[in-house]
Amino acid sequence: MTATIRDVARLAGVAVSTVSLVVNNKGRVSKKTEAKVKQAVEQLDYHPQRSARGLVTQRSGNFGFILSTDHFSQAEPFYTKIFLGTEFEARSFDYYILLTTIDKHFNADRAPRFLLERNVDGVILVGTVPHKIVDYIAMRDLPIVLVDYDLPDTKHSAVLIDNVGGIRAIVHHLIKLGHCRFAFIGGDMKHPGMSQRFNAFQQTLADAGLCVDNDCVAAEEEMSGIETGYTLMQKLLPHHNKFTAVVAANDAMAVGAVRACQGNGFHVPNDFSITGFDDVESAQNLHPALTTVHVPKEKMGAIALRQLVDMIKNTAEYGTKITIPVRLIIRESSNQPRS
Amino acid sequence: MTATIRDVARLAGVAVSTVSLVVNNKGRVSKKTEAKVKQAVEQLDYHPQRSARGLVTQRSGNFGFILSTDHFSQAEPFYTKIFLGTEFEARSFDYYILLTTIDKHFNADRAPRFLLERNVDGVILVGTVPHKIVDYIAMRDLPIVLVDYDLPDTKHSAVLIDNVGGIRAIVHHLIKLGHCRFAFIGGDMKHPGMSQRFNAFQQTLADAGLCVDNDCVAAEEEMSGIETGYTLMQKLLPHHNKFTAVVAANDAMAVGAVRACQGNGFHVPNDFSITGFDDVESAQNLHPALTTVHVPKEKMGAIALRQLVDMIKNTAEYGTKITIPVRLIIRESSNQPRS
DNA sequence: TGCTGTCATCGAAACGTTTTTACTTCTGTT
DNA sequence: AACAGAAGTAAAAACGTTTCGATGACAGCA
């Protein structure tokens, strides 16, 4: 049904190879034949067939995009936005994205089919992802870019959030408002980004000559959602006279924390300032609107893609870590401490 | 680097074609050679290469999944969940999903590359999608399944929500609680599902011998998010003595409506009952938790995929409309009317 | 023993490209 | 006028599969 390269060649009165040269504009073809060929291509609406091209070039023109199932189905479209950035950028580089989710316990014989069938030229892995699958992909020596995740003991490219800079900005902002007694809400400490935020929190305070009461740190292992924030804030509230500002490790938990306060008759920010991190959608809609750190999610996805492309073109090193700068967003949830 | 079918054949001591027969278990191969071949496959970790296979079968093993950019980036993961359902089901049928977003104004020369390169065997289109692209795909005669959208004047398969049943359940529930004066909040009436919900609302009331005041219907053209719900509820509130129950066409707008009420000193459900539709994540987290209609999103995605597969296997008709039943979820936002 | 039919396996063609090598034709130089 | 080199084009091989027709072995039957 659809036109093949042979049809184009026949119509243009040239050899098949010449058509190929024109289409991929490689080699030198005279202006005249080029025009002829292009006209024929146009007329037949010819597009090279992916599989045929892939067979000879051994390139699929696809990238794999892997994230854990629970990340993807999360209420907040944090990772969805990263994907969007990648997908959009991919289009302009003529790559396609094969998205798949894997669950926490990766099992080698349930490996994404696109790996087995050599149907991708590189892989982007986003968020917390089993160590095993990274090794698995590396073994098949495909270029890898991690996003918002880092494996400490390996040498893979990664696109990372400037967690330290973000937390530092938040804390300095609060100090400038006059706060000197802080609490912290953290979750999912297995995620390197989370623990990074916590460490930055402590470090920044230490640098400012302040220290944190143990009662003012609440952290949970597994989750880092609204529920978690709510629960942890409940644990913090009994010691509410020990702090005036609460730094949450992300917006979701901050939202939960605000709710817990309001549910217990406290006012934000009059009684406590509460801050988040990530600048997700609901941070703006919240009442009071959340002071937080903006993370450019789409941009991160785009940069990861570009990094992958560069690695394939060999114009980028295979272990580059890219740290994405973030921006403090001051809204209503932070204010001067109660007197 | 990776093993080819020839390597397997050599190792097993059989012909290439025999290996192919075993791998695809077509034709009859003796138990003995089958074992030999399978052992060799195992040993070399052989997997047929997608592009080579695709070239000869003229099948890519991929499905396209298209939704509009704004749908996908929406805060609520409604469409994300549909995708998840599709992707998961696809895996068990050995298909891969190529996801792409297109913007409202589809332009034929920016068509998804997977269409041009014949890199998909069928397409799932989700949500409001330009009429033009559907025609475009149909022209290339690929099987199509629409999800949560329907084109009235065409004959395409579609997986649809039982909007009528859902609204009817909601209204009956409210009537049973004692309500007889209703308001409606609707948005994005271009989407057939939305107008369907509105019509069902009116019809159900009419059937019950009730009618709706014009002042009690608020609908906006474009959007249907939290903001819209908030704005529309503001418009409704001046006439608050004309109704005791507010039916919103989806959860997002219901959330906005609840906020507007609370912001103006009204209590939900004591002053008004407010209901939603969709049962998204935040409907449960809301205070008060939202009475709504549960829509099985993952399931819809899965069913769409299966429909596509069946169409390709020619075990399903090309214009089947599948209506997915929904379930009333009674939570806290609905109660008896104020006296 | 010779013939027919079934079953298992094989060899070769085909799918639609890209890429490499080879062949013309032209241009300019001596 | 002969020739070298460059430029443009063509022919053919290769990529890794599937599939189809051919072949051989073997059983059953006359």
Side-chain angles (χ1 to χ4, degrees):
Chain A
M1 294 304 102
T2 47
T4 79
I5 197 172
R6 234 176 291 276
D7 300 325
V8 177
R10 199 176 311 124
L11 179 60
V14 299
V16 162
S17 47
T18 307
V19 176
S20 176
L21 291 177
V22 171
V23 169
N24 301 300
N25 48 323
K26 287 188 178 151
R28 318 124 298 194
V29 179
S30 72
K31 286 285 162 213
K32 208 169 113 197
T33 43
E34 182 179 335
K36 266 194 307 186
V37 170
K38 284 197 165 160
Q39 210 266 318
V41 165
E42 195 72 22
Q43 189 174 328
L44 297 174
D45 192 28
Y46 167 74
H47 294 271
Q49 198 168 298
R50 190 56 301 159
S51 34
R53 175 189 284 217
L55 179 57
V56 40
T57 59
Q58 295 293 53
R59 289 269 174 105
S60 64
N62 300 325
F63 287 135
F65 191 99
I66 299 182
L67 37 65
S68 84
T69 307
D70 25 336
H71 274 157
F72 194 53
S73 54
Q74 251 169 37
E76 275 303 337
F78 186 89
Y79 291 106
T80 305
K81 287 201 167 164
I82 293 181
F83 174 81
L84 224 57
T86 301
E87 139 74 13
F88 201 82
E89 189 80 354
R91 227 174 302 174
S92 68
F93 282 94
D94 259 15
Y95 273 96
Y96 240 91
I97 304 296
L98 269 56
L99 171 60
T100 201
T101 60
I102 53 173
D103 35 81
K104 259 189 281 288
H105 293 296
F106 168 69
N107 186 338
D109 41 75
R110 299 292 294 137
R113 225 165 28 86
F114 59 56
L115 293 176
L116 301 174
E117 299 180 339
R118 300 244 131 208
N119 203 15
V120 293
D121 303 339
V123 181
I124 294 179
L125 293 134
V126 185
T128 311
V129 119
H131 203 130
K132 268 205 278 182
I133 198 174
V134 181
D135 295 343
Y136 183 85
I137 298 167
M139 241 175 47
R140 302 179 111 71
D141 46 36
L142 286 168
I144 295 179
V145 176
L146 300 168
V147 178
D148 189 29
Y149 193 58
D150 201 8
L151 290 167
D153 47 343
T154 55
K155 273 291 173 199
H156 294 120
S157 297
V159 176
L160 300 164
I161 299 169
D162 181 12
N163 290 309
V164 176
I167 289 291
R168 194 178 291 153
I170 281 276
V171 172
H172 284 161
H173 161 67
L174 291 167
I175 288 176
K176 208 178 289 168
L177 283 171
H179 294 271
C180 53
R181 289 175 304 155
F182 288 81
F184 187 85
I185 289 181
D188 189 19
M189 285 303 187
K190 277 177 314 188
H191 191 297
M194 282 292 164
S195 53
Q196 223 173 20
R197 288 174 192 184
F198 179 55
N199 294 338
F201 170 76
Q202 291 200 298
Q203 190 58 48
T204 311
L205 287 181
D207 292 349
L210 300 167
C211 63
V212 199
D213 192 307
N214 265 351
D215 292 339
C216 297
V217 173
E220 185 158 306
E221 276 301 304
E222 284 294 305
M223 309 297 288
S224 55
I226 295 180
E227 292 299 314
T228 307
Y230 190 90
T231 314
L232 294 179
M233 191 68 213
Q234 295 279 17
K235 286 189 194 156
L236 247 36
L237 279 176
H239 312 99
H240 70 267
N241 49 355
K242 293 190 183 165
F243 57 87
T244 61
V246 181
V247 173
N250 69 17
D251 284 356
M253 292 191 295
V255 169
V258 168
R259 272 200 206 142
C261 289
Q262 291 171 343
N264 285 278
F266 291 101
H267 186 273
V268 180
N270 291 358
D271 292 316
F272 310 116
S273 289
I274 297 186
T275 62
F277 203 118
D278 286 350
D279 194 27
V280 300
E281 219 89 348
S282 61
Q284 305 170 38
N285 294 329
L286 194 69
H287 286 266
L290 200 64
T291 292
T292 188
V293 171
H294 179 75
V295 175
K297 306 159 206 59
E298 283 93 345
K299 197 172 172 189
M300 287 178 67
I303 287 182
L305 184 110
R306 194 167 293 187
Q307 172 67 18
L308 208 45
V309 170
D310 287 348
M311 281 162 72
I312 284 179
K313 290 197 299 194
N314 264 309
T315 63
E317 290 297 322
Y318 263 60
T320 332
K321 313 281 182 189
I322 302 174
T323 302
I324 306 291
V326 294
R327 204 172 74 246
L328 178 67
I329 308 274
I330 300 173
R331 294 209 184 91
E332 306 159 2
S333 72
S334 60
N335 208 337
Q336 295 170 344
R338 62 184 184 272
S339 46
Chain B
M1 294 305 102
T2 47
T4 80
I5 198 173
R6 234 176 292 275
D7 299 326
V8 177
R10 200 175 310 125
L11 179 59
V14 299
V16 162
S17 44
T18 306
V19 177
S20 177
L21 291 177
V22 171
V23 169
N24 301 299
N25 49 324
K26 286 187 177 149
R28 316 127 297 196
V29 178
S30 72
K31 287 286 161 211
K32 206 169 115 198
T33 45
E34 181 179 337
K36 263 195 307 186
V37 169
K38 285 198 165 159
Q39 209 267 317
V41 165
E42 195 73 21
Q43 189 174 331
L44 298 173
D45 191 27
Y46 167 74
H47 294 271
Q49 197 168 300
R50 192 55 301 160
S51 34
R53 174 189 285 216
L55 180 57
V56 40
T57 60
Q58 294 294 53
R59 291 268 174 106
S60 65
N62 299 325
F63 286 135
F65 190 99
I66 300 183
L67 38 65
S68 83
T69 307
D70 24 338
H71 275 157
F72 194 53
S73 54
Q74 253 169 35
E76 275 303 336
F78 186 90
Y79 291 106
T80 305
K81 287 202 167 163
I82 293 182
F83 174 80
L84 224 58
T86 301
E87 138 74 14
F88 201 83
E89 191 79 354
R91 227 174 300 174
S92 69
F93 282 94
D94 259 16
Y95 274 97
Y96 241 92
I97 303 297
L98 268 56
L99 171 60
T100 200
T101 60
I102 53 173
D103 36 80
K104 259 190 281 289
H105 293 297
F106 168 68
N107 187 339
D109 41 76
R110 300 291 294 135
R113 226 165 27 86
F114 60 55
L115 293 176
L116 302 175
E117 299 181 338
R118 299 244 130 209
N119 204 14
V120 293
D121 304 339
V123 182
I124 295 179
L125 293 134
V126 184
T128 312
V129 120
H131 204 130
K132 267 206 279 182
I133 197 175
V134 181
D135 296 343
Y136 184 86
I137 298 168
M139 239 175 46
R140 301 179 112 73
D141 46 35
L142 286 169
I144 295 179
V145 176
L146 300 169
V147 178
D148 188 29
Y149 193 58
D150 201 7
L151 290 169
D153 47 342
T154 55
K155 274 291 174 200
H156 293 121
S157 296
V159 176
L160 300 164
I161 299 169
D162 182 12
N163 291 308
V164 176
I167 288 291
R168 193 178 292 154
I170 281 276
V171 172
H172 284 161
H173 161 67
L174 291 167
I175 289 176
K176 206 178 291 172
L177 283 172
H179 293 272
C180 53
R181 290 174 304 155
F182 289 80
F184 187 85
I185 290 181
D188 189 18
M189 285 303 189
K190 276 177 314 188
H191 190 298
M194 282 291 166
S195 53
Q196 224 173 19
R197 288 175 192 183
F198 179 55
N199 295 336
F201 170 76
Q202 290 199 300
Q203 190 59 47
T204 311
L205 286 181
D207 291 350
L210 300 168
C211 61
V212 199
D213 193 307
N214 264 352
D215 292 339
C216 297
V217 173
E220 186 158 307
E221 277 300 305
E222 285 293 306
M223 308 298 288
S224 56
I226 295 180
E227 293 298 314
T228 308
Y230 189 90
T231 315
L232 294 179
M233 191 69 213
Q234 295 280 16
K235 286 189 193 155
L236 247 36
L237 279 176
H239 314 99
H240 70 267
N241 49 356
K242 293 191 182 164
F243 57 85
T244 60
V246 181
V247 174
N250 68 17
D251 284 356
M253 291 190 296
V255 169
V258 168
R259 272 200 207 143
C261 289
Q262 291 171 342
N264 286 278
F266 291 101
H267 186 272
V268 180
N270 291 358
D271 292 315
F272 310 115
S273 289
I274 297 186
T275 63
F277 204 118
D278 287 348
D279 194 27
V280 300
E281 218 88 350
S282 61
Q284 304 169 39
N285 295 329
L286 194 69
H287 286 265
L290 200 65
T291 291
T292 188
V293 171
H294 179 76
V295 175
K297 304 157 206 64
E298 284 93 345
K299 197 174 171 188
M300 289 179 66
I303 287 181
L305 185 111
R306 194 167 295 187
Q307 172 66 17
L308 208 45
V309 170
D310 287 348
M311 282 162 72
I312 284 179
K313 291 196 299 193
N314 264 309
T315 64
E317 290 297 321
Y318 264 61
T320 331
K321 313 279 183 192
I322 301 173
T323 302
I324 305 292
V326 295
R327 204 173 72 246
L328 177 67
I329 308 275
I330 300 173
R331 295 208 185 91
E332 306 160 2
S333 72
S334 61
N335 207 338
Q336 295 169 345
R338 62 184 183 273
S339 46

